[in-house]
Amino acid sequence: MPDAANETKPDQATAKPDQAAERVDDRFKGLPPDAEGLTVGELAAQRRDLFTGGFTTPVLALSAESVEHNLRLLEVYAERHGLAFAPHGKTSMAPQLFDRQMEHGAWGITAAVPHQARVYRTHGISRIFLANELVDAVALRWLAAELDADPDLRFVCYVDSVRGVELMDEALRAAGAGRPVDVVVELGAGEGARTGVRTEAGCAAVADAVAATSTLRLVGVAGYEGEVPEATPERVEAWLRRLTALAVEFDKAGRFRPDGGVEEIIVSAGGSAWFDTVADVFAELPELSLPTLKLLRSGAYVSHDDGQYRNLTPFNRVPEEGALQPAFRLWSQVVSRPTDEQAFTNAGKRDAAHDLHLPEAQVVRDARTGEIRAAEGITVTKLSDQHAWLRTEPGADVEVGDWVGMGLSHPCTSFDKWQLIPLVEADGTVVDYIRTYF
């Protein structure tokens, strides 16, 4: 067992990396070549203009105003509906954004895999919800050391099988874990869905297996409604009611044990497509024997998008609650205009998310005048590795040298293509740089 007295706590200020002190170099695409050798903080202090400050294309920009708007909107939404909030960090893997999310009321940050949790700890996150069953013995050994070294660390993860419980218990005992790992039983979203126990009886068997260990502590139930097959509001609601009923049944059976150190019961769900339904069903959860943490885990909201989540956001169903704003814009330059019907820019699959939808041409910045106009008659039809194929209709005003600003779909596969992303105000001033850790 690690000696906690001799360990440096991972969330101490001395251990947290100073991202502003990192040097700018050719690892970071799109940044000005003449900035090489400056620190990120020094470059940010120069407040360069995205279009005239030496940036090269392609370059991904994140709207400072839209990020702030989205952070505030979800903070207010969670408060209004009595929800705690642990946004999924896999979306951005950007500790600067995690800090902003925490400042805007987040309970903690959700992870999917051990590497993400390690990044969170390096950057001072003290509440982590890992939305997966954690059965890797090496990762569990690391987790045991983290828990023993830092009494303020709160870590929760899924369990969804008796075998998984056995593997966790074996690894934690071998690591000499001094603190139990808090777990929630994951209820699967139905036949043909992703992970999770398929039946309530199976959930009870997993809970029994947890109770038979000294290394794990059952603190709640959870799942992901986004995997409900052929999801409709009615089907999502029905599954959520199974989840809350499971919490009630577990509580009646005395499975959440205050004498074992359980102080609150966690009931968690909520991706970025159905959090309105989660809020409605969770509001009807009856009072349990302990305080209840109703934990929402939506992650895509921080940047939103111009495709997948523009179409799926619950705010489309509840417009009176507000609206998210897309924050991404990918700027690339027209490098070829071979015919009247075709143009090519220098951004492709290496730069733009394309797993769900192609980028959307939105604006053109004229290379001659600097004027920005709507990208009328311009459509992205295909991506190569380093080219976007544009179909240009008659009258489309675009020529070689112009910059085309594109909206992107699916934030999770937009962030991961860029290590340092300019945070840009509406007038083009770059005020900061967002570092990602994928």
Side-chain angles (χ1 to χ4, degrees):
M1 183 186 305
D3 182 354
N6 295 324
E7 294 261 343
T8 300
K9 291 171 63 172
D11 62 343
Q12 288 179 339
T14 53
K16 189 172 180 177
D18 182 0
Q19 293 169 285
E22 188 167 15
R23 295 287 173 182
V24 175
D25 57 31
D26 57 10
R27 291 172 297 164
F28 306 123
K29 56 186 180 178
L31 299 192
D34 67 348
E36 183 156 351
L38 296 177
T39 67
V40 172
E42 289 168 342
L43 180 57
Q46 293 181 356
R47 295 178 65 85
R48 297 196 186 196
D49 186 273
L50 183 70
F51 306 109
T52 63
F55 293 85
T56 63
T57 56
V59 60
L60 181 66
L62 196 61
S63 165
E65 292 88 354
S66 293
V67 167
E68 178 63 23
H69 169 87
N70 295 341
L71 289 167
R72 288 183 181 275
L73 183 62
L74 259 291
E75 177 184 21
V76 170
Y77 183 89
E79 289 177 352
R80 182 184 297 131
H81 292 279
L83 300 171
F85 194 33
H88 211 316
K90 71 175 175 61
T91 297
S92 71
M93 286 305 295
Q96 290 152 283
L97 296 181
F98 300 163
D99 289 344
R100 298 286 303 283
Q101 289 170 315
M102 298 295 287
E103 290 165 6
H104 282 274
W107 172 89
I109 305 293
T110 295
V113 293
H115 163 72
Q116 293 167 2
R118 289 181 60 205
V119 171
Y120 299 0
R121 291 300 291 150
T122 297
H123 290 272
I125 301 300
S126 60
R127 287 177 175 171
I128 299 171
F129 186 101
L130 196 146
N132 250 328
E133 187 168 63
L134 180 57
V135 295
D136 184 309
V138 174
L140 286 161
R141 184 165 62 245
W142 167 82
L143 174 60
E146 290 288 301
L147 288 167
D148 288 345
D150 184 0
D152 294 327
L153 171 59
R154 181 80 194 277
F155 180 92
V156 182
C157 72
Y158 283 176
V159 286
D160 85 341
S161 65
V162 172
R163 176 57 177 157
V165 170
E166 292 172 351
L167 289 170
M168 294 179 74
D169 180 49
E170 179 182 320
L172 291 168
R173 283 189 287 106
R179 289 176 59 190
V181 172
D182 286 347
V183 297
V184 290
V185 173
E186 182 193 7
L187 175 66
E191 292 301 323
R194 202 167 60 188
T195 56
V197 188
R198 293 305 195 247
T199 66
E200 282 73 4
C203 288
V206 173
D208 288 341
V210 171
T213 75
S214 61
T215 57
L216 303 176
R217 179 169 57 194
L218 184 66
V219 298
V221 298
Y224 176 47
E225 76 290 341
E227 285 296 317
V228 170
E230 300 178 5
T232 62
E234 294 75 20
R235 290 184 178 187
V236 170
E237 179 180 340
W239 177 81
L240 285 164
R241 292 194 183 284
R242 286 181 61 201
L243 182 68
T244 54
L246 184 65
V248 171
E249 288 304 310
F250 275 15
D251 189 40
K252 287 181 179 178
R255 294 186 181 277
F256 307 123
R257 298 180 53 189
D259 60 350
V262 179
E263 298 178 349
E264 63 183 0
I265 298 168
I266 296 175
V267 182
S268 180
S272 295
W274 296 101
F275 56 73
D276 58 332
T277 310
V278 173
D280 290 344
V281 175
F282 279 13
E284 298 175 6
L285 183 67
E287 185 174 349
L288 303 179
S289 63
L290 292 170
T292 305
L293 186 73
K294 302 172 184 178
L295 194 61
L296 190 67
R297 306 193 308 272
S298 311
Y301 79 99
V302 68
S303 65
H304 197 45
D305 74 357
D306 281 297
Q308 181 77 355
Y309 291 103
R310 178 178 62 191
N311 297 328
L312 294 181
T313 176
F315 288 114
N316 292 338
R317 296 186 290 272
V318 286
E320 67 278 6
E321 299 254 25
L324 293 168
Q325 297 177 0
F328 276 131
R329 181 159 282 171
L330 176 64
W331 290 96
S332 60
Q333 195 166 29
V334 179
V335 294
S336 180
R337 186 81 157 96
T339 71
D340 290 341
E341 297 79 31
Q342 192 76 62
F344 294 86
T345 77
N346 61 348
K349 294 178 181 178
R350 302 296 177 87
D351 313 298
H354 57 91
D355 55 320
L356 296 176
H357 303 93
L358 289 171
E360 177 183 272
Q362 295 178 329
V363 294
V364 175
R365 186 177 189 275
D366 193 292
R368 299 178 189 273
T369 67
E371 174 195 5
I372 295 179
R373 58 181 179 271
E376 295 179 356
I378 302 173
T379 305
V380 179
T381 60
K382 180 180 177 181
L383 294 179
S384 299
D385 279 355
Q386 298 292 179
H387 290 93
W389 297 54
L390 307 185
R391 182 179 67 243
T392 54
E393 298 175 7
D397 187 8
V398 63
E399 64 177 346
V400 171
D402 290 347
W403 285 28
V404 178
M406 302 177 185
L408 302 177
S409 178
H410 200 185
C412 300
T413 51
S414 296
F415 277 105
D416 66 6
K417 297 178 184 300
W418 296 83
Q419 295 184 66
L420 202 60
I421 304 171
L423 186 69
V424 186
E425 292 184 339
D427 65 358
T429 302
V430 179
V431 295
D432 203 354
Y433 296 84
I434 303 301
R435 184 72 158 94
T436 65
Y437 291 82
F438 285 96

